[in-house]
């Protein structure tokens, strides 16, 4: 028995209108991949689609690398601090209440300095971090170290970070997110999975699979959350 970043046994959600469903079993072409480095020596790299997923996964998934060998954290030499963006196609929300997002993922990163989170753009607006309070199950487990100790462009943001206790690995779990305080029926949204790193010393990375968005007809009470 040991603590895991992602708790297994996600609760069953009420049936709703399926607005968006992406299994990644085949390589999709509607998602947008971009990246941004901090220093001039940054080597551009994007999320990649892969069928080589960790134990417990199935089919394909998108993968953001957290390389243990890339970079040396020395600015103007080989500091590889940067962020990779994985953006969904635009999703039009029908006139219904309570948009709920679920996604399966696996995370194994350098603790406190590398990690990933979920962002949302509504009606073409700027991307904003979906806060931990919006998660019904398996929220972020930590906050990335502040900029004075971390060159990760996502420094200071809530994120999924680290590895399972007593291991250098992660495990699969499902996060469930209520987006109703951020978007509503009639809006068009874009989901962004962001993964940021400092300049060196990674672990494995973040795998994201089975992204589904539904519009549920009424409020659900008694949601479970993992305590970070």
């Amino acid at each position: 028995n040991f603590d895991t970043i992602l708790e297994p046994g996600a609760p069953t959600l009420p049936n709703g209108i399926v607005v968006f469903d992406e299994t990644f079993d085949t390589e999709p072409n509607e998602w947008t991949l971009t990246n941004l480095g901090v220093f001039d020596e940054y080597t551009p790299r994007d999320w990649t689609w892969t069928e080589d997923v960790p134990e417990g996964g199935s089919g394909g998934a998108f993968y953001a690398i957290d390389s243990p060998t890339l970079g040396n954290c020395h600015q103007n030499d080989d500091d590889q601090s940067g962020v990779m963006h994985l953006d969904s196609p635009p999703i039009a929300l029908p006139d219904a209440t309570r948009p709920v997002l679920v996604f399966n993922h696996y995370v194994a990163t350098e603790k406190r300095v590398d990690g990933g989170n979920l962002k949302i753009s509504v009606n073409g607006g700027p991307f904003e971090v979906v806060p931990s309070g919006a998660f019904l199950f398996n929220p972020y487990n930590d906050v990335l170290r502040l900029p004075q100790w971390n060159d990760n462009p996502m420094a200071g943001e809530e994120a999924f970070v680290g590895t399972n206790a007593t291991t250098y690995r992660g495990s699969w779990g499902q996060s469930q997110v209520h987006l109703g305080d951020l978007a509503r029926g009639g809006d068009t949204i874009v989901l962004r999975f962001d993964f940021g790193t400092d300049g060196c010393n990674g672990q494995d990375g973040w795998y994201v699979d089975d992204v589904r968005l539904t519009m549920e007809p009424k409020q659900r009470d008694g949601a479970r959350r993992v305590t970070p």
Side-chain angles (χ1 to χ4, degrees):
N1 295 320
F2 58 90
D3 290 334
T4 60
I5 294 174
L6 301 173
E7 183 178 340
T12 301
L13 292 170
N15 293 329
I17 303 168
V18 178
V19 178
F20 182 79
D21 191 10
E22 177 60 78
T23 65
F24 297 128
D25 287 343
T26 58
E27 184 173 6
N29 55 20
E30 302 89 358
W31 291 68
T32 301
L33 311 176
T34 55
N35 66 84
L36 180 66
V38 175
F39 302 112
D40 291 341
E41 62 267 27
Y42 174 74
T43 301
R45 52 194 179 274
D46 285 318
W47 286 78
T48 58
W49 178 81
T50 181
E51 293 179 292
D52 184 16
V53 299
E55 182 180 358
S58 62
F62 259 114
Y63 168 58
I65 188 171
D66 188 33
S67 172
T69 60
L70 188 65
N72 62 12
C73 288
H74 295 159
Q75 184 180 349
N76 299 321
D77 182 9
D78 191 18
D79 188 300
Q80 290 298 314
S81 301
V83 60
M84 292 174 276
H85 309 303
L86 173 64
D87 294 356
S88 74
I91 303 169
L93 303 181
D95 290 330
T97 61
R98 192 177 168 79
V100 175
L101 174 72
V102 301
F103 61 95
N104 296 335
H105 55 134
Y106 174 108
V107 58
T109 78
E110 185 181 9
K111 187 175 181 181
R112 296 299 310 279
V113 291
D114 301 343
N117 63 22
L118 174 68
K119 294 182 172 71
I120 187 172
S121 167
V122 181
N123 297 326
F127 283 96
E128 298 182 357
V129 177
V130 176
S132 185
F135 283 71
L136 304 171
F137 187 76
N138 275 332
Y140 310 120
N141 66 307
D142 210 335
V143 175
L144 292 166
R145 296 186 73 182
L146 295 173
Q148 56 264 44
W149 299 292
N150 187 10
D151 287 326
N152 184 337
M154 295 169 55
E157 296 181 5
E158 294 183 289
F160 298 104
V161 305
T163 58
N164 290 345
T166 75
T167 77
Y168 292 103
R169 299 183 178 183
S171 55
W172 288 92
Q174 183 182 89
S175 286
Q176 301 176 348
V177 193
H178 175 214
L179 300 177
D181 291 335
L182 304 170
R184 63 187 66 188
D187 289 338
T188 296
I189 66 171
V190 175
L191 302 172
R192 168 173 284 183
F193 293 92
D194 256 358
F195 187 78
T197 66
D198 72 344
C200 60
N201 300 330
Q203 187 59 250
D204 181 2
W206 194 21
Y207 298 80
V208 173
D209 196 6
D210 296 325
V211 179
R212 170 179 277 205
L213 180 67
T214 62
M215 299 292 284
E216 295 182 356
K218 60 183 179 179
Q219 180 69 30
R220 171 176 166 264
D221 297 323
R224 293 178 62 202
R225 295 189 58 219
V226 178
T227 302

